[in-house]
Amino acid sequence: MANIACTHCKLEFDESVMIIEQEGEKKLFFCCKGCQGVYHLLSSEGLDTFYDKLGDTKLQPASQKSDDLEKFDLEGFKNKYITSHEDGLYEINLIIEGIHCSACVWLNEKVLHKTEGVMEATINYTNNKAKIVWDPDEIKLSKIIETIRSIGYNAYPYDPKLQEERAVKTRKDYYSRILVAVFGSMNIMWIAIAHCAGYFSGMKQEFKDILNVAEFILATPVLFYSGWIFFRGAYYGYKNNIVNMDTLVASGAVSAYIYSIYAMVTQRGEVYFDSVAMIITFVLVGKYLEVLSKKHAVDTLDSIMGSTPTEVTVITDKEKSLISIENIVLGDTIELKPGEKVVIDGIVTYGQASFDESSLTGESEPVYKQEGDSILSGSLCLDSVLRYEATKDASSSLLHSIVSLLEESITKKPRIEQLADAVSGYFSSIILAIALIAFAGWWFIDDDFEHALIIGISVIVIACPCALGLATPMATLVGISIAAKRGVLFKEATFLETMAKSDLLALDKTGTITEGKPSVVHTQTLQKYDHNLLYSLVSTSNHPISKGIATYLKQNNELLQELPLVDIKTIQAKGIQASYQGKKLIGGNASYMQSTGLSVDEQTENTLFYFAIEDQLVARFELSDTVREGTKEAIKEIQAMGVRVVMLTGDHEQSAQKVAQEVGITEIHTKLLPQEKAEMIDKFHEEGHIAVMAGDGINDTIALAKSDIAIAMGNGADVAISVSDVVLMDEKPESIYEAYRLSKRTFRAVKENLGFSLLYNVIAVPLAVMGFVNPLVAALSMSLSSLIVVGNSMRIKTLKFKDKS
């Protein structure tokens, strides 16, 4: 039984995988269970039922096996791969297999967006990773997977370990196809040389026929085996009325192949089997190098996300046991040995050790930890055994937050990439139309079918939608990777574009420009008082001033205790008040004291804190904060970029002016409440500025939310990650400067890539239309254009940074 065709998809297949059914007197043949199931679905329910949820987008029914779909709806699968949102929506990261160009991305996103129940679908072209958000009440995940398969692609959950295995398998597949292509092409070129020699010196037809047949034999496996991936992509594109890069390559190569067979059989004209082989070889090698380059770019992120232990040693009733990190609960005692990575945040309860936190903060120096110190997931225990108590579970630890942040960042597309994707979706169709017009025009003008066909093929092959599609995602991926390595985490790739365009930076003073840990430099006791009262009051607040007072009191008083206060109130950016056994306690700055009717002296450059009991001032404290190392240099470099730098602070003018002069800021706004800082951001927007705001992520939340880019100085604190667009893991002002440099360099690379892609196509296509390019050169040019874009993106890695001290 030879040449058996599937009853559903009409493709011929190997009878060893054949499925046979009897329908009355008629036999049905299916190449897979997918075709068998869809055939009966269409027969019983009709096309309208099958397509009704996808509007006017027609899908090619699934040709993959569908008997594994039920696993996507199992509870175990959900617990492992699916994230539940507070609003009831589900989210998953998938790898879409079979994506070859930006038109593939456009098609998948278009189809998924038209699928009822799918709320969000974004795909990153550089690693084929998709973020899907859907309503489980309207659609099941298995149906989403089936929809993706129905247009010729496959999807499976993202798993770093499995992803590496699949990447190795893909590379091996490319190896074998490239090997056949190179072998065939090299031998065809030797024959082509003999052809050329015979063309100029004269060659008998029978020898020419032998050479033609030899080229035919060598070109056929190159076209149909090495070029199979292009035929497969073109087939599904045709079935779904989409013209993609695969369509261009396949149609160009097949046209030359068919004409060459005609010329060989009729002995009229020249054969172009060498062009057929070279088109496939050049484009295939180009795609493979592109895959390797993208993999190399992703490796930086993988190094941060990867090599994470899946089990930890837990101490229970003096016994040790290995427990999966997913089963760790708050309060569990975990043991760390030298060389082990921390995967759960916690507090040291026994022992001491040095930790490498370079993957989190960029600091190369080990950090010493002892009892009572907190340790962060992602750090590495270097030299001792210690035990610590888990303060978070695996899903809320810092390492998981960072990984989630990075995964999110590479799925969110900048506006310029969204535009490029939209253009790429129609680019191939336009090129195909131009090629047909060029073919018809030259045939009409010259009355030479062969010449017109070669020109049409050259137009089809030379156009490169890949370079256009790669221009933005490749550059942003490299930029995000380098930033992450430097301890600067961008939540979305689009923030690189926004920050590159920013012309104003607003900085909070305390905790951003300064260390945020003010210490007491002078005290004045106006009346004798119980220090326990003040210690209890400031202990109710996490404000740096309160912490500075508390630290001072602990250093100067051996026996301190927290008293049970009531009616505790915190007045933002002003102070705190409470009651103890009927006594009214007030602590805060001069402005707050004056608002309560107390008379205070404000003449000092330092920060002031007053303490009153029953409306009587009893103590006055002067505190000073130190400027972060490297702040002055970083601000100078940022200003040199043309960025206007301003200070927004709730502190009084004298203190702010002192810090501003020290770091080189000339524009300051003082005594601002949180809502007034936000109003200043609104004012900057009215002036036409694109504003970046850097703050501690707590008191500056409103202003951060109003800014175009919010930068949190929080050493990865939960609140910083949640409210910001960019997180500085090391809290260093130099990192803000590095974020600006990387953003501007990355956006420049994006514009260079897009400019080159457009210029290449604007020049190359007309040259091909005019007949100045043959298919061989066209294939090489197409591959090189993509590699140039990839190479230019990789140049971002040459950006030099100073070592952070």
Side-chain angles (χ1 to χ4, degrees):
M1 297 176 65
N3 299 323
I4 301 171
C6 178
T7 303
H8 169 60
C9 68
K10 309 305 181 188
L11 287 178
E12 295 184 1
F13 58 90
D14 184 352
E15 58 184 286
S16 63
V17 298
M18 179 171 56
I19 301 170
I20 305 176
E21 274 191 21
Q22 192 77 31
E23 191 178 79
E25 298 180 357
K26 180 182 176 183
K27 277 191 175 182
L28 307 178
F29 301 96
F30 300 101
C31 61
C32 65
K33 289 184 178 180
C35 282
Q36 182 185 24
V38 173
Y39 173 82
H40 290 298
L41 173 66
L42 298 183
S43 300
S44 60
E45 298 184 18
L47 283 168
D48 292 338
T49 302
F50 188 74
Y51 292 138
D52 61 350
K53 291 186 178 181
L54 293 163
D56 57 0
T57 302
K58 300 299 183 185
L59 304 181
Q60 162 60 16
S63 60
Q64 293 93 343
K65 293 185 178 181
S66 57
D67 53 358
D68 65 337
L69 287 173
E70 64 272 6
K71 75 176 182 183
F72 295 103
D73 299 325
L74 296 177
E75 190 67 24
F77 183 92
K78 174 188 171 185
N79 294 336
K80 186 173 183 180
Y81 295 112
I82 297 175
T83 304
S84 299
H85 291 189
E86 293 180 359
D87 54 7
L89 299 179
Y90 283 179
E91 178 184 324
I92 191 171
N93 287 313
L94 299 173
I95 295 297
I96 310 294
E97 198 172 59
I99 288 179
H100 299 299
C101 65
S102 54
C104 297
V105 173
W106 174 80
L107 172 61
N108 276 275
E109 288 182 347
K110 177 184 177 185
V111 168
L112 288 171
H113 284 144
K114 288 193 173 186
T115 303
E116 188 177 342
V118 176
M119 315 304 292
E120 181 182 345
T122 54
I123 302 172
N124 186 272
Y125 179 30
T126 53
N127 59 3
N128 299 353
K129 188 174 179 182
K131 174 188 172 184
I132 311 292
V133 178
W134 75 98
D135 185 346
D137 294 332
E138 293 189 38
I139 189 171
K140 292 182 177 181
L141 178 59
S142 58
K143 182 62 180 176
I144 296 174
I145 301 294
E146 185 180 25
T147 300
I148 294 170
R149 290 178 176 181
S150 72
I151 53 175
Y153 301 85
N154 194 16
Y156 49 85
Y158 172 75
D159 186 314
K161 294 178 181 177
L162 292 177
Q163 182 65 7
E164 183 59 31
E165 292 176 8
R166 291 178 184 270
V168 171
K169 183 181 177 182
T170 300
R171 286 198 293 270
K172 286 182 178 178
D173 182 58
Y174 267 102
Y175 286 153
S176 61
R177 295 183 189 277
I178 288 174
L179 187 63
V180 171
V182 171
F183 175 81
S185 298
M186 293 302 292
N187 282 283
I188 286 177
M189 289 309 295
W190 286 112
I191 298 172
I193 291 172
H195 248 140
C196 290
Y199 179 82
F200 291 107
S201 61
M203 179 186 292
K204 292 182 179 181
Q205 186 61 46
E206 56 264 31
F207 292 119
K208 188 175 181 181
D209 291 340
I210 292 171
L211 294 178
N212 288 344
V213 171
E215 286 190 12
F216 165 74
I217 293 172
L218 289 167
T220 300
V222 174
L223 178 63
F224 293 108
Y225 173 70
S226 300
W228 172 247
I229 58 174
F230 304 117
F231 285 101
R232 182 182 59 198
Y235 169 75
Y236 283 110
Y238 165 74
K239 284 293 183 180
N240 296 289
N241 299 320
I242 298 295
V243 177
N244 53 25
M245 186 207 76
D246 295 330
T247 308
L248 299 181
V249 175
S251 59
V254 167
S255 298
Y257 181 76
I258 293 173
Y259 176 77
S260 298
I261 292 175
Y262 166 80
M264 177 182 69
V265 173
T266 62
Q267 299 180 352
R268 295 173 58 187
E270 299 297 325
V271 298
Y272 294 91
F273 291 119
D274 54 345
S275 295
V276 173
M278 285 301 179
I279 287 171
I280 297 298
T281 302
F282 285 150
V283 179
L284 188 63
V285 171
K287 287 296 294 180
Y288 178 63
L289 293 176
E290 183 185 309
V291 167
L292 291 183
S293 300
K294 290 194 289 186
K295 176 67 171 63
H296 181 68
V298 176
D299 279 345
T300 303
L301 295 182
D302 287 343
S303 66
I304 296 172
M305 301 179 200
S307 65
T308 302
T310 57
E311 295 178 323
V312 293
T313 303
V314 176
I315 311 296
T316 309
D317 297 329
K318 297 184 179 180
E319 292 186 2
K320 299 180 182 180
S321 57
L322 285 174
I323 303 293
S324 173
I325 61 172
E326 289 83 7
N327 296 325
I328 297 297
V329 297
L330 273 64
D332 279 352
T333 299
I334 301 171
E335 184 176 85
L336 270 180
K337 299 181 182 67
E340 290 185 344
K341 179 180 281 188
V342 182
V343 287
I344 305 290
D345 294 352
I347 295 177
V348 179
T349 57
Y350 170 80
Q352 55 274 324
S354 296
F355 284 83
D356 178 2
E357 295 184 346
S358 58
S359 63
L360 300 175
T361 65
E363 290 284 1
S364 57
E365 291 295 322
V367 180
Y368 179 73
K369 302 282 185 178
Q370 56 187 351
E371 288 185 31
D373 290 340
S374 61
I375 55 177
L376 301 173
S377 53
S379 57
L380 186 69
C381 181
L382 295 176
D383 51 17
S384 299
V385 176
L386 59 72
R387 295 175 183 176
Y388 70 95
E389 180 182 317
T391 55
K392 293 181 182 178
D393 57 23
S395 62
S396 57
S397 288
L398 176 62
L399 184 61
H400 183 273
S401 299
I402 293 173
V403 170
S404 299
L405 192 77
L406 292 173
E407 289 177 344
E408 183 80 8
S409 69
I410 59 177
T411 59
K412 295 288 186 179
K413 297 181 181 181
R415 287 182 291 274
I416 196 167
E417 182 178 348
Q418 294 170 12
L419 177 61
D421 281 354
V423 172
S424 298
Y426 301 100
F427 180 86
S428 299
S429 299
I430 295 170
I431 292 299
L432 195 57
I434 292 173
L436 290 173
I437 293 170
F439 165 72
W442 277 99
W443 193 9
F444 176 78
I445 294 169
D446 278 1
D447 195 23
D448 186 342
F449 177 83
E450 180 181 344
H451 184 227
L453 179 65
I454 295 305
I455 288 176
I457 291 171
S458 298
V459 173
I460 289 173
V461 174
I462 203 169
C464 191
C466 276
L468 188 62
L470 272 173
T472 302
M474 196 68 208
T476 53
L477 176 64
V478 174
I480 285 174
S481 300
I482 297 173
K485 200 172 182 180
R486 300 290 300 176
V488 180
L489 305 183
F490 283 84
K491 271 191 175 180
E492 298 181 12
T494 185
F495 297 145
L496 284 164
E497 178 182 347
T498 306
M499 193 162 185
K501 296 177 180 178
S502 166
D503 59 352
L504 184 141
L505 171 64
L507 296 172
D508 174 46
K509 180 177 80 71
T510 305
T512 304
I513 297 175
T514 65
E515 292 286 351
K517 299 174 183 177
S519 56
V520 176
V521 294
H522 183 263
T523 64
Q524 181 180 4
T525 302
L526 305 175
Q527 293 184 27
K528 190 175 181 180
Y529 66 98
D530 183 357
H531 287 177
N532 290 319
L533 291 174
L534 176 56
Y535 179 71
S536 302
L537 181 65
V538 295
S539 294
T540 64
S541 170
N542 287 322
H543 194 279
I545 300 295
S546 297
K547 289 183 176 181
I549 300 292
T551 300
Y552 172 79
L553 291 173
K554 283 190 287 185
Q555 290 172 347
N556 292 276
N557 296 274
E558 292 184 3
L559 300 175
L560 280 176
Q561 59 178 333
E562 286 192 43
L563 304 174
L565 307 183
V566 295
D567 300 328
I568 301 169
K569 294 180 182 178
T570 300
I571 295 83
Q572 281 189 319
K574 288 190 174 183
I576 45 179
Q577 70 177 51
S579 296
Y580 176 70
Q581 295 182 350
K583 293 181 180 179
K584 183 180 179 182
L585 311 177
I586 300 176
N589 60 21
S591 174
Y592 181 51
M593 290 297 171
Q594 289 170 352
S595 69
T596 62
L598 293 170
S599 177
V600 296
D601 180 13
E602 202 182 19
Q603 300 302 314
T604 178
E605 290 184 347
N606 295 325
T607 300
L608 298 177
F609 180 90
Y610 298 88
F611 180 48
I613 303 175
E614 289 291 286
D615 295 329
Q616 293 293 320
L617 283 175
V618 297
R620 175 182 181 273
F621 297 83
E622 285 187 33
L623 299 95
S624 179
D625 195 1
T626 56
V627 173
R628 290 184 184 274
E629 187 178 353
T631 302
K632 182 177 181 179
E633 293 78 8
I635 290 175
K636 183 179 179 181
E637 296 283 3
I638 293 170
Q639 289 171 332
M641 291 180 173
V643 178
R644 173 183 167 191
V645 181
V646 302
M647 179 195 292
L648 305 180
T649 179
D651 220 336
H652 59 77
E653 188 170 352
Q654 286 180 311
S655 175
Q657 192 67 50
K658 177 185 175 183
V659 172
Q661 288 176 351
E662 188 173 344
V663 299
I665 297 177
T666 56
E667 183 180 348
I668 62 172
H669 301 272
T670 59
K671 297 183 180 179
L672 298 177
L673 296 173
Q675 61 268 29
E676 291 173 331
K677 287 185 180 181
E679 290 170 2
M680 288 300 303
I681 298 295
D682 287 335
K683 180 183 176 184
F684 295 144
H685 284 154
E686 290 172 5
E687 294 173 357
H689 293 291
I690 297 175
V692 173
M693 170 75 185
D696 61 14
I698 302 172
N699 296 329
D700 303 307
T701 303
I702 306 174
L704 288 169
K706 290 270 190 177
S707 62
D708 297 285
I709 294 291
I711 300 179
M713 313 279 288
N715 199 19
D718 291 341
V719 67
I721 290 177
S722 64
V723 303
S724 65
D725 302 318
V726 180
V727 179
L728 305 184
M729 300 302 297
D730 58 7
E731 298 186 308
K732 293 181 180 294
E734 298 105 298
S735 294
I736 301 178
Y737 168 57
E738 289 185 1
Y740 264 107
R741 282 191 69 200
L742 265 171
S743 297
K744 290 181 179 293
R745 180 63 186 88
T746 302
F747 193 60
R748 192 180 89 203
V750 169
K751 290 189 288 186
E752 288 170 352
N753 288 347
L754 287 173
F756 168 77
S757 302
L758 294 172
L759 183 64
Y760 165 79
N761 285 294
V762 165
I763 293 174
V765 174
L767 284 176
V769 170
M770 290 185 286
F772 294 126
V773 181
N774 64 37
L776 217 65
V777 174
L780 181 60
S781 301
M782 179 188 186
S783 298
L784 286 176
S785 65
S786 292
L787 294 178
I788 287 171
V789 166
V790 171
N792 187 54
S793 299
M794 289 298 186
R795 287 177 59 235
I796 300 173
K797 290 188 173 185
T798 62
L799 194 63
K800 301 295 182 184
F801 296 99
K802 295 179 182 177
D803 291 333
K804 297 178 184 179
S805 58

